[in-house]
Amino acid sequence: MAVQIVWFKRDLRVHDHAPLAAAARAGPVLPLYIVEPSLWQQPDSAAQHWGFIRESLIELDAALRATGLPHARLHVAVGEAVPVLEALHRHIGIGALHAHEETGNAHTYARDEAVRRWARSHGIAVREARQFAVIRGLRQRDRWLPHRERLMAEPAVPWPPPRLTFARWAAPDHTVAEFGHGEIPRAWYWQAGRWVPGPWPDATALGLDPWEPPRRQRGGRRAGEATLADFLDGRAARYRGGISSPLSAPQACSRLSPYLAYGVLGLREVVQATRARRAEAAAMGPATGTALERRLATGLHAFESRLYWHCHFIQKLESEPALEWHNVHRGYDGLREDDWNPAHFEALRNGRTGWPLVDACVALLHDTGWLNFRMRAMLVSVAAYPLWLHWRGVGHWLARLFLDYEPGIHWPQMQMQSGTTGINATRVYNPIKQALDHDPNGVFVRRWLPALRRVPDAWLFEPWRMPLDLQRRCGVTVGVDIPAPLVDLERALRSAKARLHERRAQPAVRAQASIVVQRHGSRRGMPAGRAEHGREPTPRRRSAPPAAQLSLW
């Protein structure tokens, strides 16, 4: 029987994996992950992403081998997708290519289109399954919510599927002990007309800066399952009311985002597990349930409502892929593009803006690769308004810093927080007010900015206002030990809002907003509280990006 390739991309698991089950029904399965050098050269790629994926691939391989079946193994090939598949087809004959649909960046879209063209030219079927509630070619947004509910309610695909068998690789299997994780497959390189085994490429070999956040979350199914269980059984009680402050958010937030972004956990399994645990907690009742169970039920209700927005945002990029590189509302073109200030951007990147909460958030990101939603929104707002930076350059920087980078969520959020959708309320976060609201005693700021630890509370969030004699007594000199603010905050915010509102008030800009609403807007009845005004999707199309140039987060 012809070999069935299961191409793993951002779905690094065996549980609830429809392509694996479909391939098993059709013939012998060859599980494949392709390390594509060109993908890792994109400006949204970082070493921490590869590190997390590599850890997840090791456990994926172990899960396949645990079946005990002959040739059960994950095969890792290094090369571009079409040449790798072409070489495999010559040696083993590919009957069909199975994968999950992916809403990625412009590069992965072009890659998938090239693979489909190649497959058609060889008479090879490409069979894709949905893992998210994202509909390709969706013309009517009103259809989206019922589709989402049906998908989330379907039973999980069982593992291992019936009649599962594995195909042999195009060359003898080789294994190597490395990385302290036991036996893992070597990578395969297509060279001079044959497959040559070798070590997996490291970040440097992929052209990446090898630096990674020292305390980022670890990849792999075991870590994902442990994080989910820990949240459902206890941490969710802190979710409602705890996710905004950078002090409480690391424990109150689910911390599941990287496991969802790379498909280590399936969205459906997270939704179903949340609903089951919430029902269990709610069934205890106000009379018999403990205070913890009641808080859990409340927190899980809030968390489940936020899960609706996961695919709602990804659908935006699926429906209009070009919003990765141009404004959602084209009436905002030219608003910031010509005013890029490299000095402002470098100060932001290095946590040297002079606003303590902003700089502390950047320090946390550098250490962990994670930040809660409100603080992410604040970072983008500071970049977009007082620093007046265009969202695209800032978005690439943050994509590399966010371990949980999901293009379909990232780029719509970058634009919404920057005010270029034309339909959302202006989201301007004052970093001083945010610090007073969410870190009133300065615990977070002092932890991440040691130079400020001796600054009195009264001056902590505006240290540049300290008298010079107090600066000397604290051992902190503004402009030497800590940076002075890049701009006058109040004046810069007034100017930015005036420029944005002037553009928004133009009749042509106001008229076009209704088109944006129709294309991407949420619809009444979404169980996530207040509707997020957006627009209705059109069929998936991509035009080439300009030569100059995707919490919910």
Side-chain angles (χ1 to χ4, degrees), residues 210-256:
W211 177 87
E212 294 190 48
R215 294 196 302 147
R216 69 162 172 83
Q217 289 176 265
R218 299 296 103 180
R221 177 78 183 184
R222 287 175 295 179
E225 289 179 328
T227 303
L228 177 60
D230 185 49
F231 179 67
L232 296 181
D233 292 338
R235 290 190 296 106
R238 312 176 202 175
Y239 188 84
R240 190 175 182 87
I243 62 175
S244 292
S245 170
L247 287 170
S248 55
Q251 287 300 312
C253 291
S254 76
R255 305 302 301 272
L256 295 172

Side-chain angles (χ1 to χ4, degrees), residues 415-499:
Q415 294 217 42
M416 184 159 60
Q417 304 302 333
S418 299
T420 54
T421 66
I423 58 173
N424 299 102
T426 304
R427 299 166 186 262
V428 179
Y429 289 75
N430 182 313
I432 300 171
K433 182 180 185 301
Q434 291 296 309
L436 291 168
D437 288 347
H438 299 294
D439 187 28
N441 298 315
V443 175
F444 177 77
V445 162
R446 287 188 173 98
R447 177 182 178 185
W448 292 103
L449 301 179
L452 294 178
R453 287 176 183 171
R454 296 182 59 192
V455 173
D457 288 356
W459 307 97
L460 182 61
F461 302 134
E462 298 179 279
W464 59 90
R465 298 188 187 277
M466 277 196 299
L468 288 176
D469 62 332
L470 182 57
Q471 292 184 37
R472 285 192 291 269
R473 290 202 300 273
C474 293
V476 174
T477 302
V478 177
V480 178
D481 302 298
I482 59 172
L486 295 170
V487 297
D488 181 280
L489 181 62
E490 292 183 5
R491 186 180 304 159
L493 287 178
R494 282 197 303 270
S495 173
K497 286 189 282 189
R499 294 173 75 177

